[in-house]
Amino acid sequence: MGTKSIAVLTSGGDAPGMNAAIRAVARAGISSGMRVIGVRRGYNGLISGDVFEMNLRSVSDIIHRGGTTLFTARSPEFNTPAGVQKAADTCRSLGIDGVVVIGGDGSFRGARDLTGAGIPCVGLPGTIDNDIQCSEYTIGFDTAMNTAMDMVDKLRDTAQSHDRCSVVEVMGRRCGDIALQTGIAVGATAILVPEVPFDLEKDVIKRMQFTQLTGKKHFIIVVAEGIGGVDDLARQIQEKTGIESRATVLGHVQRGGSPTLRDRVVASEMGFRAVELLQAGEGNRVVAMKEGRIVDYDITEALNMKKTISKKLYDIALKISI
Ligand code: F6P
C-alpha cells in the first residue's frame, strides 16, 4: 500500500528554489490524494511537532521567492539517537508515513537515520554549493552563481577604472563549483578551488604578469571559501606584482534572491519525483540529476559516492582566461 500522509521540511543552509520544491511536493501530493504536512525549521520541527496541514493554496505565490517559507535549521538534537527517536515518534503520532527532506548531505544523513527509525524518507538536493556527491546539480546552484556573477561584474567596473586586482571569495567550503563556473563566466585570471592544490607564484602571480605583458591592466581572481584568506592573498598579490589589490567576500548574499528559471524547473521536477517515490512506498532514496535526467539512488549508496570537480572545465578556464 502506498503512503497516504507525507511531510515536507527544509534543512541546513537555505537555497533559492527550495520554495519551488516545497510547492511541487505539496501540489503533487495533494492532487494525488495525500495529506501533506509542512514542517517548520527542519528536523527541529519534527522533534517539537511544529507542523501544519497544507492545502493547495498554502504554497501559492512562493515559486519566485528566495529562502524557504518552511524556515530551516541545523538540528544538533536530531544528530543524537534520542532526537531521531523523538522525530519518528512525532511522525507516528501525527500519522505521517513519509518525509521529503530538502537539504544537503547532512540533511540526507538525517533522512537515512529517520528511515532507519521506521519513517521512509526521500531527500532532495537543495544547496547552493552543488556539493552533493550523487547529483550533478543541486537546487540553488544556478541562482547563487548568477548572483555571484552579477556582483563580480560590478567589482570589475571599479577594478577596471583603477587598474586594480579584485580578489573575490565566493561560497563553497569543500566544493569549488561556484568558484569555477563563476570564474569562467567573469573571465577571472585565476580561479582557486579546494579540490586543486595551488601555488601562488605559478598559478596567480605568473598568470597575472603574463597577461600584463599583453596589455591587461585589471584582474579578477576568484577564490572559493574553502581556500579563504582573501585579505592576505590580495596583500601578497600587491606586494609581488605592484598592482593595487582589493579583497571582497561575497558571503550570504549568494544564498538569497529570486530563483532562476533553471532552479524553479529542477526543483519542480525533483519535488514531483519525491512524491512519486513515497507514493510507491519507497523510502531511503535521494532524488538526483544524472546527464540532465532526474534519477534516484539509495541514500546510503548516494552518501558513499565521490564528488569531483570538472577537470575539463578547469582546463578550459586555464587556457582561455589569459
Ligand atoms: O552549504 C551552503 C553554504 O552557504 C556554504 O557555501 C557555506 O560554507 C555555508 O553554507 C555557510 O553556512 P552558514 O549559513 O551557517 O554560515
Side-chain angles (χ1 to χ4, degrees):
M1 197 183 69
T3 306
K4 293 285 180 279
S5 287
I6 60 170
V8 55
L9 61 86
T10 48
S11 160
D14 62 348
M18 280 184 164
N19 284 326
I22 295 165
R23 173 181 178 271
V25 171
R27 295 263 170 92
I30 294 167
S31 57
S32 56
M34 293 170 159
R35 258 176 86 220
V36 181
I37 313 287
V39 181
R40 295 189 187 90
R41 298 182 174 82
Y43 291 111
N44 284 341
L46 264 193
I47 291 173
S48 64
D50 187 5
V51 304
F52 63 100
E53 182 142 357
M54 298 179 117
N55 60 43
L56 290 175
R57 298 279 71 80
S58 311
V59 288
S60 291
D61 294 319
I62 68 169
I63 195 163
H64 62 297
R65 285 171 58 190
T68 159
T69 49
L70 288 178
F71 306 96
T72 186
R74 297 189 171 97
S75 172
E77 190 179 357
F78 189 77
N79 279 335
T80 66
V84 174
Q85 208 43 59
K86 266 196 206 169
D89 290 346
T90 309
C91 290
R92 283 190 197 97
S93 71
L94 294 169
I96 294 170
D97 37 21
V99 182
V100 179
V101 175
I102 309 166
D105 51 6
S107 310
F108 293 170
R109 280 190 284 278
R112 175 198 60 198
D113 295 346
L114 192 56
T115 305
I119 309 296
C121 293
V122 174
L124 295 192
T127 162
I128 65 163
D129 289 0
N130 206 36
D131 63 346
I132 303 291
Q133 300 89 318
C134 68
S135 188
E136 64 197 20
Y137 190 80
T138 61
I139 298 163
F141 181 48
D142 190 55
T143 308
M145 286 191 299
N146 275 288
T147 300
M149 181 182 76
D150 285 349
M151 297 293 144
V152 182
D153 284 349
K154 290 178 167 67
L155 289 170
R156 174 190 288 275
D157 289 344
T158 167
Q160 182 178 27
S161 306
H162 287 264
D163 294 331
R164 279 179 180 159
C165 171
S166 190
V167 184
V168 193
E169 180 188 300
V170 298
M171 272 189 168
R173 258 184 305 220
R174 287 163 296 132
C175 178
D177 281 11
I178 296 180
L180 177 57
Q181 295 205 29
T182 304
I184 289 177
V186 300
T189 301
I191 303 169
L192 306 181
V193 295
E195 295 91 337
V196 185
F198 77 97
D199 174 81
L200 181 67
E201 202 58 40
K202 171 170 123 342
D203 299 312
V204 181
I205 307 298
K206 287 272 181 319
R207 287 180 69 81
M208 287 176 66
Q209 286 167 339
F210 173 77
T211 55
Q212 204 178 21
L213 286 177
T214 63
K216 195 169 171 69
K217 291 192 167 43
H218 66 279
F219 304 84
I220 307 279
I221 311 295
V222 173
V223 181
E225 181 187 3
I227 303 277
V230 281
D231 283 317
D232 190 48
L233 256 172
R235 189 188 48 74
Q236 290 196 60
I237 288 170
Q238 182 162 319
E239 260 172 36
K240 288 174 191 281
T241 62
I243 299 161
E244 216 186 336
S245 300
R246 294 285 188 274
T248 306
V249 177
L250 294 187
H252 285 82
V253 70
Q254 295 159 97
R255 286 240 296 261
S258 180
T260 58
L261 178 143
R262 179 158 203 219
D263 280 324
R264 297 182 200 191
V265 174
V266 172
S268 301
E269 283 187 281
M270 288 185 166
F272 192 85
R273 170 65 72 96
V275 172
E276 283 181 334
L277 287 167
L278 288 175
Q279 200 171 24
E282 290 199 46
N284 210 42
R285 307 294 295 173
V286 176
V287 178
M289 183 181 283
K290 184 170 191 248
E291 289 159 11
R293 289 182 310 110
I294 304 299
V295 296
D296 55 273
Y297 297 101
D298 174 82
I299 295 188
T300 313
E301 193 190 311
L303 287 169
N304 285 332
M305 292 180 183
K306 194 160 165 40
K307 170 110 175 62
T308 51
I309 199 148
S310 166
K311 174 92 177 59
K312 187 159 177 229
L313 213 48
Y314 187 80
D315 288 345
I316 290 174
L318 282 181
K319 292 211 171 83
I320 64 175
S321 292
I322 48 174

